[in-house]
Amino acid sequence: MKLHIRPWGMVITIGLLLSIALSGLAYAALGDRLLGRGSKGPEVTELQKKLVQLGYSVGSVDGKFGSKTEAAIRRFQKERGLRVDGLAGTQTIKELKRLTGQSTNASGKAVGYKNIDTNLLARAVNAEARGEPYIGQVAVAAVILNRIKDPAFPKTVADIIYQPRAFSSVDDGQINLAPSASSIRAAQEAINGSDPSGGAVFFFNPAKTSNKYIWSRPQIKQIGNHMFTK
Amino acid sequence: MHRKFWIGALALALLISLGWGWNEYRLAGKYRTATENNNRRALNDFASHLDQLETDMAKGNVASNPAQKILYLSQISSKSEAALKDFAQIPAQQTGLSYVGQFLTQSGDFTRILAQRIAGGGTISGEEEKTLRDMHERLMPVNQQVQDLILRMDTEKLVWTDPDPSLRQRLGLGTQVAEAAADGSEAPAKSVRSGLDQLDASLQKLPPFSYTGEYATRVVEKPLGLPTGEVTRDQSLERARDFLDKAGYANATPEFAGESQGPLGGYVWNFKESYLEVSRQGGVITLHRDQRSIEPRTLSLEEATSKAKAVLQALGWKLVITSSEEFGSYVQFDAVVEKDGVRIYPDKVRLMIALDNGQLVGFDASPYYAFHHERTFPTKLTMEQAVRKLRPNFQVVESRLAVIVKSGNQEVYSYEFRGRYQGEEYLVYLNASNGTEEKIQRIIKTPRGEYLK
């Protein structure tokens, strides 16, 4: 029996195929649909940008939800206490949007991200203490902030970090790496007032430094690979 | 045939390498010039500000009209800040306290305080006049030596930092260069950096200035809130286990991880992924942090708050929770002492509650132990009198008595007013004895909670 294709059927089939094909291309806002491995499009780019802003590296921001993006989503979900499934669903996207929003004053007017010092501090922590235990990272951030209160050091976070030759990782450019999420968290905690270093203004790696001056400073405690001194 | 090919190929490779090398050399030269220009600018700016500072100090000493005095004192303060900023851009050695920086900071701090006092109608005492003159005396040789350095830079082509040992010296073939003496010897400096180091060293030998101000004292030297008596290592283990038990870690077996020095120093214990510090004096837990990975959250902020209150009670603290900041998988709370209705902010304990099971994963009592002591409160205005001192149209939402910290480590007994003005929310602190405005903080809503600035 010959298959009789009615004209209406053709139109409907072609219409369906086109709409499915074009739905990926049409501009969709972040949050409209579930994003997972294989998704593509401007919403994926927006997702990746927000992840990078919070410190979860996705490789390159290219609009393609690949393995690195999935790993970043998993790390984000884990650290925020969400269910870890590697998919950007409503909960995950809502949390992402909330955290990357601007701060507002009491009447709701946006006043900016208010995180200039935090960002720079996070970069410094990332550059100097990437592999250290979390409490060691907070301590490194605290050392920089302790220097502000000390009369012998420069008075702003940027001046302290960028003082030529004060930090070796600044001099060799590691400061320009994007900070990890744990560095950002460590910087935020230190700015809040946490100081696991006990008031230190110097830190060094005892296994790698033979500088006599720093060895002569009164030592406070050792956390991870870093010795903290006054 | 083959030979010609290879000669041609190698010649081409050589030419390309030479071209690349030449290009790199030119680029490196450009970068060197740019850096050199920046360093020069910093040094020259530094010297020029120092010079203006010296002149202003001399004038400030003789000015008698209060308005003129305020003018010069404020100028001294701003010039010293500018000099400090430039000083921070000159290439430093990797380590070292900067006595030059310290001197500049303290001069700026001291003059700013004096200027504020005169602006408020006060006067400078004879002692303070003498301190001003001493500062000027100390500045003059510093100024001269910096100008001398610049002169030598031009005439003798001084380098910025002492040159690294050359290859010959590193191989042990060259003669050993005597280390540039940073202990004030009179040998002329071989580089700008060692010249500044000598300056530093000469300032280090002089006695520090004594005055009360923001940078006069560093960290609290003696913690005020630690109980008396010292504990041994074994006793500290007992305290650690007791603390962990009450915080929800049953049958903990901490391992010794070293000692820490300093006024709040003591014994460091590790348990699984927890880090715990017990102070030597008093045997109290000063710091606890559990770095375990936290599971998806099951608690809300309210539930976490009640868990925080419960654990504080279990540990024997009587504190009131003042703020919270949420970090996704855990919430951080600030809790302070409240005595007779007065909130004492310096005596603060910070704790973190995990949102997966409500366990205490962070505890920091160092501010409490550093600052807690018995306080007596002077006579104060009534609430109505204080409210009248606020600016008009300030809508008060909450009010209470509080002790806050001002710059330096000064405590002020004050009225705290939380309120709105022109669409913004503020915390305004008025001195409880005389109603003067002591501190203002602005309240901002961030994604993580309220933020005071």
Side-chain angles (χ1 to χ4, degrees):
Chain A
M1 190 149 105
K2 234 166 94 176
L3 201 59
H4 201 60
I5 300 172
R6 273 177 256 161
W8 266 121
M10 280 285 278
V11 171
I12 291 174
T13 318
I14 292 177
L16 266 176
L17 284 173
L18 267 179
S19 60
I20 291 176
L22 289 175
S23 68
L25 297 175
Y27 183 76
L30 184 63
D32 282 352
R33 60 183 176 124
L34 179 71
L35 297 170
R37 249 338 239 286
S39 302
K40 282 200 257 251
E43 324 127 85
V44 180
T45 313
E46 205 185 322
L47 179 78
Q48 289 173 326
K49 281 193 196 158
K50 289 197 190 298
L51 283 169
V52 172
Q53 186 183 335
L54 293 174
Y56 302 95
S57 148
V58 297
S60 61
V61 176
D62 53 9
K64 301 201 189 94
F65 198 121
S67 59
K68 288 205 185 134
T69 312
E70 182 179 355
I73 293 264
R74 278 179 187 271
R75 282 199 308 273
F76 173 72
Q77 290 168 329
K78 178 93 185 150
E79 290 207 4
R80 300 302 302 181
L82 301 168
R83 191 163 58 93
V84 180
D85 55 12
L87 301 169
T90 359
Q91 278 252 348
T92 308
I93 291 181
K94 193 164 124 199
E95 185 82 346
L96 260 180
K97 281 186 176 171
R98 192 176 68 91
L99 290 174
T100 49
Q102 289 195 27
S103 301
T104 61
N105 71 359
S107 6
K109 200 153 118 177
V111 290
Y113 294 108
K114 294 284 175 193
N115 65 352
I116 299 192
D117 277 351
T118 315
N119 252 344
L120 185 56
L121 205 53
R123 278 169 185 270
V125 167
N126 192 43
E128 288 281 328
R130 261 198 298 283
E132 297 295 313
Y134 178 71
I135 206 169
Q137 294 181 339
V138 182
V140 164
V143 162
I144 295 177
L145 294 175
N146 285 340
R147 286 187 175 189
I148 297 183
K149 293 185 226 133
D150 188 310
F153 287 97
K155 291 283 141 284
T156 66
V157 173
D159 274 348
I160 291 173
I161 291 177
Y162 284 110
Q163 183 175 18
R165 304 187 67 174
F167 292 102
S168 59
S169 63
V170 174
D171 279 344
D172 64 23
Q174 290 184 64
I175 188 91
N176 293 323
L177 296 170
S180 66
S182 94
S183 315
I184 295 182
R185 219 162 19 104
Q188 283 166 353
E189 264 198 52
I191 285 188
N192 256 341
S194 278
D195 182 9
S197 74
V201 285
F202 289 105
F203 64 91
F204 68 101
N205 188 329
K208 292 194 187 156
T209 315
S210 55
N211 185 300
K212 272 186 274 204
Y213 176 77
I214 198 109
W215 274 103
S216 71
R217 304 295 307 165
Q219 296 181 349
I220 302 179
K221 63 175 90 156
Q222 175 146 2
I223 303 179
N225 286 328
H226 283 138
M227 171 64 77
F228 292 87
T229 76
K230 273 263 191 259
Chain B
M1 199 46 204
H2 255 200
R3 263 189 67 205
K4 274 211 184 137
F5 167 74
W6 275 116
I7 290 178
L10 285 174
L12 187 62
L14 180 64
L15 278 175
I16 294 179
S17 311
L18 283 176
W20 176 84
W22 175 248
N23 198 34
E24 288 293 308
Y25 174 74
R26 263 190 39 237
L27 269 180
K30 275 202 191 144
Y31 286 134
R32 206 176 300 128
T33 312
T35 316
E36 177 78 15
N37 285 344
N38 194 36
N39 290 340
R40 272 268 183 167
R41 185 207 57 75
L43 185 65
N44 270 301
D45 240 350
F46 175 59
S48 138
H49 284 133
L50 219 54
D51 197 47
Q52 290 168 12
L53 189 61
E54 199 263 318
T55 313
D56 282 335
M57 270 194 180
K59 292 192 207 168
N61 271 336
V62 83
S64 60
N65 178 351
Q68 287 283 303
K69 245 191 149 64
I70 296 177
L71 175 67
Y72 286 117
L73 287 173
S74 320
Q75 268 180 237
I76 292 174
S77 164
S78 69
K79 286 285 178 304
S80 69
E81 265 176 55
L84 198 60
K85 216 171 172 59
D86 294 317
F87 187 63
Q89 292 178 33
I90 302 174
Q93 298 291 27
Q94 202 189 12
T95 55
L97 285 180
S98 158
Y99 289 94
V100 175
Q102 183 168 300
F103 171 59
L104 287 172
T105 311
Q106 288 181 332
S107 324
D109 187 32
F110 184 56
T111 48
R112 185 168 25 98
I113 290 175
L114 289 183
Q116 282 172 353
R117 197 191 305 160
I118 303 183
T123 51
I124 311 185
S125 72
E127 272 270 329
E128 285 159 342
E129 298 244 352
K130 183 162 180 319
T131 311
L132 262 180
R133 281 197 300 275
D134 284 342
M135 282 184 177
H136 183 226
E137 289 289 320
R138 207 175 281 197
L139 180 61
M140 287 202 292
V142 173
N143 194 23
Q144 286 171 325
Q145 286 178 34
V146 170
Q147 291 180 358
D148 184 56
L149 262 180
I150 295 198
L151 184 66
R152 288 181 58 210
M153 268 197 87
D154 290 334
T155 55
E156 288 174 38
K157 298 251 184 292
L158 274 187
V159 293
W160 284 100
T161 50
D162 280 336
D164 289 330
S166 71
L167 188 59
R168 283 193 69 193
Q169 284 160 350
R170 266 197 269 244
L171 290 175
L173 296 173
T175 49
Q176 274 302 70
V177 178
E179 283 189 4
D183 61 354
S185 76
E186 293 316 306
K190 291 193 333 283
S191 68
V192 174
R193 187 64 238 172
S194 56
L196 291 171
D197 280 343
Q198 281 181 348
L199 201 55
D200 233 31
S202 63
L203 279 176
Q204 183 179 8
K205 290 192 228 151
L206 300 170
F209 292 114
S210 77
Y211 66 96
T212 38
E214 187 172 354
Y215 294 106
T217 49
R218 288 163 74 181
V219 186
V220 150
E221 287 308 330
K222 232 174 85 63
L224 301 167
L226 283 179
T228 46
E230 296 218 342
V231 300
T232 63
R233 196 177 112 175
D234 294 318
Q235 286 171 319
S236 77
L237 173 60
E238 274 313 303
R239 306 283 172 106
R241 291 179 58 201
D242 183 55
F243 174 84
L244 286 172
D245 197 43
K246 295 198 179 122
Y249 300 80
N251 302 324
T253 48
E255 286 165 10
F256 187 63
E259 291 192 20
S260 68
Q261 309 305 323
L264 289 168
Y267 307 97
V268 178
W269 295 95
N270 282 341
F271 172 60
K272 290 204 198 142
E273 282 153 307
S274 284
Y275 172 99
L276 209 79
E277 248 188 72
V278 183
S279 66
R280 204 170 290 117
Q281 183 191 334
V284 288
I285 310 291
T286 46
L287 194 60
H288 164 241
R289 194 78 170 91
D290 186 353
Q291 295 160 94
R292 69 172 170 90
S293 78
I294 302 183
E295 302 305 311
R297 54 174 114 132
T298 58
L299 299 170
S300 67
L301 183 58
E302 292 75 30
E303 287 165 332
T305 314
S306 49
K307 288 268 184 189
K309 292 192 184 139
V311 80
L312 278 176
Q313 225 176 357
L315 291 167
W317 292 90
K318 285 199 196 32
L319 302 170
V320 91
I321 294 189
T322 54
S323 67
S324 68
E325 189 172 337
E326 62 104 11
F327 283 92
S329 47
Y330 61 89
V331 185
Q332 180 178 292
F333 294 99
D334 276 359
V336 305
V337 174
E338 194 169 88
K339 185 173 168 221
D340 302 329
V342 182
R343 236 180 230 188
I344 306 185
Y345 286 106
D347 298 353
K348 184 180 351 201
V349 167
R350 191 166 276 136
L351 53 148
M352 296 175 199
I353 301 284
L355 288 173
D356 57 355
N357 61 5
Q359 209 177 30
L360 181 76
V361 290
F363 183 79
D364 181 3
S366 5
Y368 178 88
Y369 290 121
F371 298 115
H372 177 67
H373 61 279
E374 278 305 311
R375 295 172 175 86
T376 49
F377 299 124
T379 48
K380 57 172 170 55
L381 304 172
T382 63
M383 178 71 79
E384 296 75 34
Q385 287 172 316
V387 170
R388 252 178 278 138
K389 298 246 179 194
L390 290 170
R391 78 156 20 250
N393 298 330
F394 182 76
Q395 301 159 314
V396 175
V397 167
E398 252 180 67
S399 59
R400 60 170 60 82
L401 283 165
V403 172
I404 56 169
V405 175
K406 262 190 8 166
S407 65
N409 276 330
Q410 287 175 56
E411 292 188 355
V412 179
Y413 177 50
S414 54
Y415 273 105
E416 172 189 285
F417 292 103
R418 182 181 171 129
R420 300 183 121 220
Y421 178 71
Q422 304 277 30
E424 297 262 2
E425 208 168 326
Y426 303 96
L427 280 169
V428 177
Y429 294 91
L430 301 183
N431 191 311
S433 312
N434 55 29
T436 45
E437 234 170 42
E438 295 283 358
K439 190 165 164 181
I440 298 178
Q441 290 200 302
R442 180 191 185 198
I443 301 175
I444 295 182
K445 301 189 196 322
T446 72
R448 289 189 330 272
E450 276 189 356
Y451 183 53
L452 299 175
K453 208 166 181 182

